[in-house]
Amino acid sequence: MSQVHDYKSRLSDPASRKFETFSYLPPLSKEKIREQVEYLLKKGWNPAIEHTEPENAFDHYWYMWKLPMFGETDVDKVLAEAEACHKANPDNHVRLVGYDNFKQSQGTALVIYRGKTV
């Protein structure tokens, strides 16, 4: 049986907080973020960009950056919107969400830019 690792993520330590599976890995490079957007679009999911202040990441709904990009198929357009959101809100976390029309739920959600922690 493999050993289970305990990642020291604590509410009292903002720098240790984890958001989803990818946050336990090293930060995603621009190429890896692009691959995630490509995957999301290949699945037929509608991309959306959300952001929030680091201190509110667990307690509140995230702010939607514009409307979801229904029917968008251009990876570069999705990446440009994510970058625009990050530039407009440099201290906020920014996440990419993929909405699955058929299952009426999120197919994926991952933080692609981390804001400054306290």
Side-chain angles (χ1 to χ4, degrees), residues 22 32-50 68-75 77-79 82 95-102 105-112:
F22 286 117
K32 293 296 181 186
I33 293 171
R34 175 179 270 288
E35 288 175 13
Q36 292 302 314
V37 174
E38 289 171 352
Y39 174 80
L40 181 155
L41 295 177
K42 283 180 187 173
K43 295 290 279 183
W45 296 338
N46 292 305
I49 308 297
E50 298 177 342
M69 295 172 261
F70 297 108
E72 185 59 65
T73 58
D74 187 340
V75 174
K77 287 183 181 178
V78 176
L79 292 171
R95 74 177 168 194
L96 170 68
V97 180
Y99 290 105
D100 185 335
N101 284 348
F102 299 103
S105 65
Q106 289 185 2
T108 189
L110 62 141
V111 175
I112 55 176

Side-chain angles (χ1 to χ4, degrees), residues 53-64:
E53 299 85 358
E55 62 271 16
N56 295 333
F58 296 98
D59 300 337
H60 300 80
Y61 289 105
W62 289 44
Y63 310 113
M64 189 167 282

Side-chain angles (χ1 to χ4, degrees), residues 49 65 77-87 94 112-113:
I49 308 297
W65 174 258
K77 287 183 181 178
V78 176
L79 292 171
E81 285 300 326
E83 182 67 26
C85 179
H86 177 60
K87 284 183 179 179
V94 176
I112 55 176
Y113 295 106

